[in-house]
Amino acid sequence: MLIFAAGTERIDRALVHRWLSEQSYWATGRSRQTQDAAIDGSRNYGVYDDATGDQVAYARVVTDGVTFAWVCDVFVDEAARGRGVGKLLMAGVVGDLAPLGLKRIALATADAHGLYAQFGFAPLADPTMWMTRAG
């Protein structure tokens, strides 16, 4: 059985860093110090195998807690993919954010549009309004 949990208590920081810095397309090479700071400055979520206690997925949300949130660093361990882990993770994230009454929740993805669409995410109505500044 899989268990969703919010908060940093159960986050396996070393594992999350390895996933993101070595296996993700968006955070390759991210330092452990940067990842730990990101965890500390965000709302964190994990999915865990109840039998072993092992973490099998991670996501974090950057938010002011009132008007806006950005869902980022969503990752499901390769061995756990195809078992509904991503759906459990996103259902938990969306459910945790719902009481905040946020006007907008954003995310960026190159490959999981179908998953996020199940939770109400859609392409930007007017992408010409959005801009980004690379650091």
mmCIF file of all heavy atoms in Angstrom, residues 57-93:
data_model
loop_
_atom_site.group_PDB
_atom_site.id
_atom_site.type_symbol
_atom_site.label_atom_id
_atom_site.label_comp_id
_atom_site.label_asym_id
_atom_site.label_seq_id
_atom_site.Cartn_x
_atom_site.Cartn_y
_atom_site.Cartn_z
ATOM 1 N N ALA A 57 8.161 8.835 -4.176
ATOM 2 C CA ALA A 57 7.845 10.028 -4.973
ATOM 3 C C ALA A 57 8.023 11.273 -4.121
ATOM 4 O O ALA A 57 7.996 11.208 -2.879
ATOM 5 C CB ALA A 57 6.423 9.967 -5.508
ATOM 6 N N TYR A 58 8.176 12.402 -4.801
ATOM 7 C CA TYR A 58 8.389 13.683 -4.129
ATOM 8 C C TYR A 58 7.805 14.811 -4.970
ATOM 9 O O TYR A 58 7.786 14.742 -6.206
ATOM 10 C CB TYR A 58 9.893 13.931 -3.961
ATOM 11 C CG TYR A 58 10.224 15.305 -3.421
ATOM 12 C CD1 TYR A 58 10.051 15.596 -2.077
ATOM 13 C CD2 TYR A 58 10.701 16.302 -4.253
ATOM 14 C CE1 TYR A 58 10.345 16.860 -1.576
ATOM 15 C CE2 TYR A 58 11.000 17.564 -3.756
ATOM 16 C CZ TYR A 58 10.827 17.833 -2.418
ATOM 17 O OH TYR A 58 11.107 19.088 -1.915
ATOM 18 N N ALA A 59 7.343 15.841 -4.306
ATOM 19 C CA ALA A 59 6.956 17.100 -4.951
ATOM 20 C C ALA A 59 7.113 18.204 -3.921
ATOM 21 O O ALA A 59 7.051 17.953 -2.712
ATOM 22 C CB ALA A 59 5.515 17.054 -5.453
ATOM 23 N N ARG A 60 7.306 19.412 -4.422
ATOM 24 C CA ARG A 60 7.319 20.557 -3.522
ATOM 25 C C ARG A 60 6.523 21.684 -4.151
ATOM 26 O O ARG A 60 6.317 21.710 -5.367
ATOM 27 C CB ARG A 60 8.733 20.992 -3.157
ATOM 28 C CG ARG A 60 9.536 21.604 -4.229
ATOM 29 C CD ARG A 60 10.972 21.916 -3.748
ATOM 30 N NE ARG A 60 11.726 22.526 -4.808
ATOM 31 C CZ ARG A 60 11.849 23.833 -5.010
ATOM 32 N NH1 ARG A 60 11.268 24.703 -4.181
ATOM 33 N NH2 ARG A 60 12.559 24.302 -6.013
ATOM 34 N N VAL A 61 6.068 22.593 -3.289
ATOM 35 C CA VAL A 61 5.275 23.723 -3.739
ATOM 36 C C VAL A 61 5.849 24.985 -3.125
ATOM 37 O O VAL A 61 6.054 25.057 -1.911
ATOM 38 C CB VAL A 61 3.791 23.562 -3.337
ATOM 39 C CG1 VAL A 61 3.004 24.825 -3.650
ATOM 40 C CG2 VAL A 61 3.178 22.352 -4.040
ATOM 41 N N VAL A 62 6.095 25.964 -3.980
ATOM 42 C CA VAL A 62 6.517 27.286 -3.545
ATOM 43 C C VAL A 62 5.263 28.157 -3.568
ATOM 44 O O VAL A 62 4.587 28.242 -4.597
ATOM 45 C CB VAL A 62 7.592 27.870 -4.489
ATOM 46 C CG1 VAL A 62 8.007 29.262 -4.035
ATOM 47 C CG2 VAL A 62 8.788 26.935 -4.567
ATOM 48 N N THR A 63 4.935 28.773 -2.431
ATOM 49 C CA THR A 63 3.694 29.541 -2.353
ATOM 50 C C THR A 63 3.771 30.642 -1.309
ATOM 51 O O THR A 63 4.531 30.537 -0.344
ATOM 52 C CB THR A 63 2.498 28.615 -2.032
ATOM 53 O OG1 THR A 63 1.292 29.388 -2.023
ATOM 54 C CG2 THR A 63 2.663 27.910 -0.692
ATOM 55 N N ASP A 64 2.946 31.669 -1.521
ATOM 56 C CA ASP A 64 2.768 32.674 -0.472
ATOM 57 C C ASP A 64 1.657 32.245 0.478
ATOM 58 O O ASP A 64 1.405 32.885 1.481
ATOM 59 C CB ASP A 64 2.487 34.059 -1.064
ATOM 60 C CG ASP A 64 1.223 34.130 -1.901
ATOM 61 O OD1 ASP A 64 0.422 33.175 -1.902
ATOM 62 O OD2 ASP A 64 1.017 35.165 -2.566
ATOM 63 N N GLY A 65 0.983 31.162 0.147
ATOM 64 C CA GLY A 65 -0.064 30.612 0.992
ATOM 65 C C GLY A 65 -1.383 31.353 0.921
ATOM 66 O O GLY A 65 -2.322 31.022 1.634
ATOM 67 N N VAL A 66 -1.464 32.339 0.027
ATOM 68 C CA VAL A 66 -2.666 33.160 -0.041
ATOM 69 C C VAL A 66 -3.188 33.314 -1.471
ATOM 70 O O VAL A 66 -4.383 33.189 -1.714
ATOM 71 C CB VAL A 66 -2.400 34.565 0.553
ATOM 72 C CG1 VAL A 66 -3.647 35.424 0.502
ATOM 73 C CG2 VAL A 66 -1.872 34.464 1.970
ATOM 74 N N THR A 67 -2.297 33.594 -2.431
ATOM 75 C CA THR A 67 -2.763 33.902 -3.778
ATOM 76 C C THR A 67 -2.191 33.016 -4.874
ATOM 77 O O THR A 67 -2.819 32.843 -5.913
ATOM 78 C CB THR A 67 -2.427 35.363 -4.157
ATOM 79 O OG1 THR A 67 -1.003 35.527 -4.167
ATOM 80 C CG2 THR A 67 -3.063 36.345 -3.185
ATOM 81 N N PHE A 68 -0.994 32.480 -4.685
ATOM 82 C CA PHE A 68 -0.305 31.816 -5.788
ATOM 83 C C PHE A 68 0.543 30.648 -5.276
ATOM 84 O O PHE A 68 1.106 30.720 -4.176
ATOM 85 C CB PHE A 68 0.621 32.820 -6.506
ATOM 86 C CG PHE A 68 1.392 32.227 -7.656
ATOM 87 C CD1 PHE A 68 0.807 32.063 -8.895
ATOM 88 C CD2 PHE A 68 2.707 31.833 -7.490
ATOM 89 C CE1 PHE A 68 1.526 31.516 -9.958
ATOM 90 C CE2 PHE A 68 3.436 31.288 -8.545
ATOM 91 C CZ PHE A 68 2.844 31.139 -9.781
ATOM 92 N N ALA A 69 0.666 29.617 -6.099
ATOM 93 C CA ALA A 69 1.560 28.499 -5.797
ATOM 94 C C ALA A 69 2.172 27.988 -7.087
ATOM 95 O O ALA A 69 1.560 28.065 -8.158
ATOM 96 C CB ALA A 69 0.813 27.370 -5.098
ATOM 97 N N TRP A 70 3.364 27.458 -6.967
ATOM 98 C CA TRP A 70 4.068 26.833 -8.079
ATOM 99 C C TRP A 70 4.430 25.421 -7.650
ATOM 100 O O TRP A 70 5.154 25.223 -6.677
ATOM 101 C CB TRP A 70 5.315 27.634 -8.423
ATOM 102 C CG TRP A 70 6.241 26.989 -9.414
ATOM 103 C CD1 TRP A 70 5.912 26.325 -10.568
ATOM 104 C CD2 TRP A 70 7.669 26.928 -9.327
ATOM 105 N NE1 TRP A 70 7.042 25.863 -11.206
ATOM 106 C CE2 TRP A 70 8.152 26.233 -10.463
ATOM 107 C CE3 TRP A 70 8.590 27.410 -8.403
ATOM 108 C CZ2 TRP A 70 9.492 25.994 -10.684
ATOM 109 C CZ3 TRP A 70 9.937 27.166 -8.637
ATOM 110 C CH2 TRP A 70 10.373 26.473 -9.770
ATOM 111 N N VAL A 71 3.896 24.425 -8.352
ATOM 112 C CA VAL A 71 4.206 23.025 -8.093
ATOM 113 C C VAL A 71 5.478 22.698 -8.876
ATOM 114 O O VAL A 71 5.553 22.959 -10.078
ATOM 115 C CB VAL A 71 3.057 22.099 -8.551
ATOM 116 C CG1 VAL A 71 3.424 20.634 -8.333
ATOM 117 C CG2 VAL A 71 1.763 22.455 -7.839
ATOM 118 N N CYS A 72 6.466 22.149 -8.183
ATOM 119 C CA CYS A 72 7.737 21.885 -8.860
ATOM 120 C C CYS A 72 8.418 20.644 -8.290
ATOM 121 O O CYS A 72 7.995 20.099 -7.279
ATOM 122 C CB CYS A 72 8.658 23.097 -8.758
ATOM 123 S SG CYS A 72 8.939 23.697 -7.089
ATOM 124 N N ASP A 73 9.477 20.238 -8.946
ATOM 125 C CA ASP A 73 10.292 19.096 -8.532
ATOM 126 C C ASP A 73 9.465 17.830 -8.299
ATOM 127 O O ASP A 73 9.744 17.043 -7.397
ATOM 128 C CB ASP A 73 11.123 19.432 -7.285
ATOM 129 C CG ASP A 73 12.268 20.386 -7.588
ATOM 130 O OD1 ASP A 73 12.591 20.569 -8.780
ATOM 131 O OD2 ASP A 73 12.841 20.942 -6.644
ATOM 132 N N VAL A 74 8.462 17.626 -9.129
ATOM 133 C CA VAL A 74 7.650 16.405 -9.028
ATOM 134 C C VAL A 74 8.451 15.258 -9.632
ATOM 135 O O VAL A 74 8.894 15.334 -10.780
ATOM 136 C CB VAL A 74 6.306 16.574 -9.765
ATOM 137 C CG1 VAL A 74 5.489 15.287 -9.700
ATOM 138 C CG2 VAL A 74 5.527 17.757 -9.196
ATOM 139 N N PHE A 75 8.622 14.201 -8.838
ATOM 140 C CA PHE A 75 9.419 13.070 -9.304
ATOM 141 C C PHE A 75 8.873 11.782 -8.709
ATOM 142 O O PHE A 75 8.623 11.710 -7.512
ATOM 143 C CB PHE A 75 10.896 13.234 -8.891
ATOM 144 C CG PHE A 75 11.811 12.281 -9.592
ATOM 145 C CD1 PHE A 75 12.407 12.631 -10.792
ATOM 146 C CD2 PHE A 75 12.053 11.022 -9.076
ATOM 147 C CE1 PHE A 75 13.244 11.745 -11.465
ATOM 148 C CE2 PHE A 75 12.888 10.127 -9.733
ATOM 149 C CZ PHE A 75 13.488 10.488 -10.930
ATOM 150 N N VAL A 76 8.714 10.779 -9.561
ATOM 151 C CA VAL A 76 8.317 9.435 -9.134
ATOM 152 C C VAL A 76 9.471 8.502 -9.470
ATOM 153 O O VAL A 76 9.960 8.493 -10.608
ATOM 154 C CB VAL A 76 7.023 8.972 -9.831
ATOM 155 C CG1 VAL A 76 6.693 7.528 -9.461
ATOM 156 C CG2 VAL A 76 5.864 9.901 -9.483
ATOM 157 N N ASP A 77 9.899 7.721 -8.487
ATOM 158 C CA ASP A 77 10.974 6.770 -8.702
ATOM 159 C C ASP A 77 10.628 5.866 -9.882
ATOM 160 O O ASP A 77 9.487 5.424 -10.024
ATOM 161 C CB ASP A 77 11.183 5.927 -7.440
ATOM 162 C CG ASP A 77 12.353 4.981 -7.570
ATOM 163 O OD1 ASP A 77 13.498 5.428 -7.375
ATOM 164 O OD2 ASP A 77 12.115 3.796 -7.871
ATOM 165 N N GLU A 78 11.615 5.615 -10.723
ATOM 166 C CA GLU A 78 11.390 4.832 -11.936
ATOM 167 C C GLU A 78 10.752 3.476 -11.642
ATOM 168 O O GLU A 78 9.856 3.027 -12.359
ATOM 169 C CB GLU A 78 12.714 4.636 -12.681
ATOM 170 C CG GLU A 78 12.542 4.049 -14.048
ATOM 171 C CD GLU A 78 13.827 4.039 -14.861
ATOM 172 O OE1 GLU A 78 14.686 4.911 -14.644
ATOM 173 O OE2 GLU A 78 13.944 3.134 -15.700
ATOM 174 N N ALA A 79 11.157 2.829 -10.569
ATOM 175 C CA ALA A 79 10.617 1.509 -10.226
ATOM 176 C C ALA A 79 9.162 1.571 -9.780
ATOM 177 O O ALA A 79 8.467 0.551 -9.780
ATOM 178 C CB ALA A 79 11.465 0.870 -9.125
ATOM 179 N N ALA A 80 8.678 2.740 -9.409
ATOM 180 C CA ALA A 80 7.306 2.876 -8.922
ATOM 181 C C ALA A 80 6.359 3.436 -9.973
ATOM 182 O O ALA A 80 5.153 3.540 -9.729
ATOM 183 C CB ALA A 80 7.289 3.782 -7.685
ATOM 184 N N ARG A 81 6.863 3.781 -11.121
ATOM 185 C CA ARG A 81 6.018 4.372 -12.167
ATOM 186 C C ARG A 81 5.024 3.363 -12.709
ATOM 187 O O ARG A 81 5.280 2.171 -12.737
ATOM 188 C CB ARG A 81 6.892 4.939 -13.287
ATOM 189 C CG ARG A 81 7.708 6.116 -12.803
ATOM 190 C CD ARG A 81 8.625 6.672 -13.849
ATOM 191 N NE ARG A 81 9.507 7.649 -13.205
ATOM 192 C CZ ARG A 81 10.613 8.116 -13.748
ATOM 193 N NH1 ARG A 81 10.973 7.729 -14.952
ATOM 194 N NH2 ARG A 81 11.347 8.988 -13.084
ATOM 195 N N GLY A 82 3.858 3.873 -13.111
ATOM 196 C CA GLY A 82 2.821 3.022 -13.668
ATOM 197 C C GLY A 82 1.940 2.366 -12.630
ATOM 198 O O GLY A 82 1.095 1.546 -12.955
ATOM 199 N N ARG A 83 2.096 2.757 -11.364
ATOM 200 C CA ARG A 83 1.311 2.160 -10.272
ATOM 201 C C ARG A 83 0.371 3.171 -9.616
ATOM 202 O O ARG A 83 -0.132 2.939 -8.531
ATOM 203 C CB ARG A 83 2.248 1.586 -9.209
ATOM 204 C CG ARG A 83 3.104 0.450 -9.701
ATOM 205 C CD ARG A 83 4.030 -0.166 -8.676
ATOM 206 N NE ARG A 83 3.846 0.231 -7.310
ATOM 207 C CZ ARG A 83 4.824 0.315 -6.404
ATOM 208 N NH1 ARG A 83 6.062 0.035 -6.733
ATOM 209 N NH2 ARG A 83 4.579 0.674 -5.170
ATOM 210 N N GLY A 84 0.165 4.324 -10.250
ATOM 211 C CA GLY A 84 -0.731 5.331 -9.687
ATOM 212 C C GLY A 84 -0.075 6.241 -8.667
ATOM 213 O O GLY A 84 -0.747 7.010 -7.989
ATOM 214 N N VAL A 85 1.249 6.171 -8.555
ATOM 215 C CA VAL A 85 1.964 6.981 -7.567
ATOM 216 C C VAL A 85 1.840 8.464 -7.879
ATOM 217 O O VAL A 85 1.588 9.280 -6.994
ATOM 218 C CB VAL A 85 3.456 6.564 -7.481
ATOM 219 C CG1 VAL A 85 4.232 7.475 -6.555
ATOM 220 C CG2 VAL A 85 3.559 5.115 -7.027
ATOM 221 N N GLY A 86 2.004 8.830 -9.153
ATOM 222 C CA GLY A 86 1.871 10.234 -9.544
ATOM 223 C C GLY A 86 0.486 10.777 -9.256
ATOM 224 O O GLY A 86 0.333 11.908 -8.793
ATOM 225 N N LYS A 87 -0.530 9.964 -9.495
ATOM 226 C CA LYS A 87 -1.904 10.386 -9.209
ATOM 227 C C LYS A 87 -2.109 10.583 -7.714
ATOM 228 O O LYS A 87 -2.729 11.567 -7.285
ATOM 229 C CB LYS A 87 -2.904 9.357 -9.740
ATOM 230 C CG LYS A 87 -3.004 9.337 -11.235
ATOM 231 C CD LYS A 87 -4.011 8.301 -11.696
ATOM 232 C CE LYS A 87 -4.033 8.209 -13.197
ATOM 233 N NZ LYS A 87 -5.020 7.233 -13.667
ATOM 234 N N LEU A 88 -1.609 9.666 -6.903
ATOM 235 C CA LEU A 88 -1.725 9.806 -5.452
ATOM 236 C C LEU A 88 -0.998 11.056 -4.972
ATOM 237 O O LEU A 88 -1.522 11.820 -4.152
ATOM 238 C CB LEU A 88 -1.162 8.564 -4.761
ATOM 239 C CG LEU A 88 -1.144 8.593 -3.230
ATOM 240 C CD1 LEU A 88 -2.552 8.727 -2.657
ATOM 241 C CD2 LEU A 88 -0.465 7.332 -2.696
ATOM 242 N N LEU A 89 0.193 11.283 -5.502
ATOM 243 C CA LEU A 89 0.971 12.452 -5.125
ATOM 244 C C LEU A 89 0.226 13.739 -5.477
ATOM 245 O O LEU A 89 0.071 14.627 -4.637
ATOM 246 C CB LEU A 89 2.338 12.414 -5.820
ATOM 247 C CG LEU A 89 3.292 13.562 -5.542
ATOM 248 C CD1 LEU A 89 3.662 13.640 -4.067
ATOM 249 C CD2 LEU A 89 4.550 13.411 -6.401
ATOM 250 N N MET A 90 -0.252 13.847 -6.714
ATOM 251 C CA MET A 90 -0.924 15.088 -7.128
ATOM 252 C C MET A 90 -2.266 15.274 -6.431
ATOM 253 O O MET A 90 -2.632 16.403 -6.099
ATOM 254 C CB MET A 90 -1.085 15.122 -8.647
ATOM 255 C CG MET A 90 0.224 15.386 -9.376
ATOM 256 S SD MET A 90 1.138 16.838 -8.759
ATOM 257 C CE MET A 90 -0.054 18.143 -9.055
ATOM 258 N N ALA A 91 -2.990 14.202 -6.173
ATOM 259 C CA ALA A 91 -4.246 14.325 -5.421
ATOM 260 C C ALA A 91 -3.959 14.877 -4.033
ATOM 261 O O ALA A 91 -4.689 15.736 -3.530
ATOM 262 C CB ALA A 91 -4.949 12.975 -5.335
ATOM 263 N N GLY A 92 -2.893 14.402 -3.413
ATOM 264 C CA GLY A 92 -2.515 14.898 -2.095
ATOM 265 C C GLY A 92 -2.089 16.349 -2.118
ATOM 266 O O GLY A 92 -2.480 17.141 -1.256
ATOM 267 N N VAL A 93 -1.291 16.734 -3.103
ATOM 268 C CA VAL A 93 -0.831 18.120 -3.219
ATOM 269 C C VAL A 93 -2.020 19.048 -3.431
ATOM 270 O O VAL A 93 -2.184 20.044 -2.719
ATOM 271 C CB VAL A 93 0.194 18.271 -4.370
ATOM 272 C CG1 VAL A 93 0.469 19.739 -4.665
ATOM 273 C CG2 VAL A 93 1.482 17.533 -4.048
#
